[in-house]
Amino acid sequence: MKKLVYLLVVVGAMLTSCDPMEDIYNDIDSVDKPIVGVDDYTLTDDDYADLELGFGSFDSEDQAKELIPGFLSDAFPYWGNESAVFVTYNLYQSNSIKSETAYTVTDDDYTTLGFNYGNFDSAGDMTELLMYKYPDATRGAMVDLTYKYYSGGSTSEVTNNFILLDSWEMVREFTIEEYNAMEQSYPNFSSEDVAEFNISVYLKTLYPYAKADDRVVTMYELYVSGADNEMNIVPFVFNGSEWIAIPSVIESSLQFGNDNGTWVPDNTIRHTLVGDDYEYMSAQLINEPGFESPADSMGYYKNLDRREGNENYWSDDTTVNNAGLSDMIETALAILLDKLDPSAEDGQKYLMTYDIYNGTNTTETTPMIKTDGVWVRNN
């Protein structure tokens, strides 16, 4: 029907306007955006060029959130409210050292943080100290940390570098002997490619019992002809068989939703109910006054009866319904969401699509959001 409206608009414009194409676009733009679409999209080199991102990546997630909505408006001009696009993009995450400082943990620090023996004894302890001492630190901050560490029945004072990347992590540096073990005549590498390959091999000898997803942040010296050598930070992750260098440019993704014509970052999860979902809601509500017959019907037919006046009727009347209850559908979906996503934070959104019977078999979709710890209809 919408397409017929467009056709009539176009024909009318051609017959009455001296500038038909301009009137066609004006008339089409005046019609409410008719399409509710969902898509996955990966930005291309041309897209980055259009966004004037010369390096083919975003500098931060905030920059992606700022620039991608305008791109989506151009790419999906006739997609309307409740449309969604899951965008995959390149994100630059610098691994360089932005600041350096040295700190020695004091007796007061140990006491304040509850380390009553005046020492640390696990890697997480140092992370806790750094989060406490540097709550406003940003990516690339490095701390040369001196602390007391208990291991093997004795306590010793040790010093290690820690850097803030995705979190505070200890930096693994290399001795002259280790450079030699990695087939380097001098305590440095001549190229980044050689460094990453040789370090990945060496890490297998250092950590023979590594598990998948284990991480090590390494720092090595890179030879620069005619200038001071550089100190390079390279995180590695174990994939179950090999240590893989994590690049500075990684693939990331964000979902965007169309909110009444405006594209915004969106955390909405789309869920289509299946048989087990109806059975679960039925079991939870079948003994609740006013829900007995609708819940029994839903569990049996795996849909919601939406024939108003029927004894099995599921009402979404927010004032009152035939069972004397407010919004029955919201109640049932809230129960299901507590099961599907019990740890969801406030602000998490869902679009719940379910089968209904209103004289014919079709579907409806209800938006839900968690607010003050409770799932409610997101109108």
Side-chain angles (χ1 to χ4, degrees):
M1 188 65 186
K2 299 278 188 180
K3 292 181 180 178
L4 179 58
V5 171
Y6 288 166
L7 180 58
L8 293 175
V9 169
V10 171
V11 172
M14 292 177 66
L15 292 175
T16 62
S17 173
C18 60
D19 188 357
M21 293 310 296
E22 179 180 353
D23 285 349
I24 288 169
Y25 293 129
N26 288 339
D27 286 336
I28 289 177
D29 286 341
S30 70
V31 179
D32 287 341
K33 293 181 178 180
I35 300 174
V36 177
V38 179
D39 197 11
D40 294 335
Y41 187 84
T42 299
L43 293 180
T44 67
D45 291 341
D46 289 341
D47 296 332
Y48 292 111
D50 290 341
L51 291 166
E52 299 182 355
L53 297 170
F55 293 102
S57 63
F58 292 92
D59 290 335
S60 67
E61 183 178 288
D62 287 342
Q63 186 185 41
K65 290 179 178 179
E66 177 185 352
L67 296 181
I68 290 177
F71 168 81
L72 294 176
S73 294
D74 294 336
F76 302 92
Y78 297 110
W79 283 26
N81 191 44
E82 295 187 359
S83 295
V85 180
F86 191 80
V87 180
T88 299
Y89 63 94
N90 293 332
L91 176 65
Y92 174 72
Q93 291 189 309
S94 172
N95 293 328
S96 62
I97 302 169
K98 302 297 184 182
S99 64
E100 295 182 69
T101 189
Y103 186 76
T104 299
V105 183
T106 67
D107 291 339
D108 286 343
D109 292 331
Y110 294 116
T111 301
T112 300
L113 294 174
F115 296 101
N116 297 324
Y117 293 102
N119 58 56
F120 298 139
D121 58 15
S122 73
D125 298 343
M126 287 78 83
T127 298
E128 183 178 351
L129 180 280
L130 291 164
M131 292 174 64
Y132 162 70
K133 292 299 297 184
Y134 303 99
D136 300 321
T138 57
R139 188 181 185 92
M142 178 175 279
V143 177
D144 193 35
L145 189 68
T146 300
Y147 52 95
K148 297 174 183 177
Y149 196 82
Y150 176 81
S151 178
S154 63
T155 299
S156 58
E157 186 172 84
V158 295
T159 299
N160 291 112
N161 278 316
F162 289 80
I163 190 168
L164 180 58
L165 297 177
D166 297 330
S167 60
W168 285 104
E169 298 181 82
M170 184 183 293
V171 177
R172 180 63 166 82
E173 301 177 63
F174 302 109
T175 65
I176 295 175
E177 291 75 20
E178 288 179 313
Y179 279 105
N180 293 337
M182 290 185 281
E183 300 185 344
Q184 303 306 298
S185 301
Y186 301 95
N188 56 55
F189 287 99
S190 58
S191 75
E192 294 181 6
D193 288 343
V194 170
E196 291 183 7
F197 177 80
N198 288 19
I199 291 173
S200 69
V201 173
Y202 186 61
L203 290 176
K204 293 182 73 171
T205 67
L206 287 179
Y207 306 104
Y209 303 108
K211 300 182 294 294
D213 297 326
D214 282 354
R215 279 172 57 101
V216 175
V217 177
T218 67
M219 182 167 67
Y220 69 87
E221 190 167 334
L222 179 67
Y223 173 76
V224 180
S225 178
D228 292 337
N229 289 353
E230 297 177 357
M231 299 305 295
N232 278 9
I233 297 287
V234 180
F236 285 80
V237 63
F238 190 64
N239 68 2
S241 59
E242 305 289 338
W243 286 94
I244 306 299
I246 301 174
S248 296
V249 176
I250 64 171
E251 190 175 88
S252 190
S253 58
L254 284 169
Q255 180 169 270
F256 292 83
N258 190 299
D259 185 6
N260 294 313
T262 301
W263 289 97
V264 296
D266 182 34
N267 67 356
T268 300
I269 298 172
R270 285 167 163 75
H271 179 74
T272 299
L273 273 66
V274 297
D276 288 347
D277 295 333
Y278 299 105
E279 291 175 0
Y280 179 78
M281 293 186 296
S282 174
Q284 301 304 307
L285 290 169
I286 199 165
N287 294 319
E288 292 294 322
F291 281 93
E292 299 95 336
S293 186
D296 183 54
S297 172
M298 175 180 63
Y300 183 79
Y301 291 106
K302 308 299 187 292
N303 63 28
L304 278 65
D305 192 323
R306 296 285 280 139
R307 296 172 296 167
E308 189 169 359
N310 187 281
E311 65 174 354
N312 297 326
Y313 177 56
W314 281 88
S315 173
D316 59 359
D317 188 332
T318 56
T319 304
V320 68
N321 56 51
N322 65 326
L325 302 167
S326 62
D327 200 332
M328 298 172 71
I329 295 175
E330 177 187 60
T331 300
L333 294 178
I335 289 172
L336 177 60
L337 283 168
D338 276 336
K339 172 179 179 286
L340 295 177
D341 198 352
S343 60
E345 297 181 357
D346 277 359
Q348 179 62 60
K349 300 176 184 177
Y350 271 81
L351 280 178
M352 306 292 283
T353 299
Y354 44 89
D355 293 324
I356 69 163
Y357 181 72
N358 60 4
T360 187
N361 293 309
T362 184
T363 63
E364 288 183 356
T365 298
T366 296
M368 301 286 287
I369 186 171
K370 196 166 192 180
T371 303
D372 296 329
V374 178
W375 293 103
V376 297
R377 184 185 288 265
N378 186 25
N379 292 323

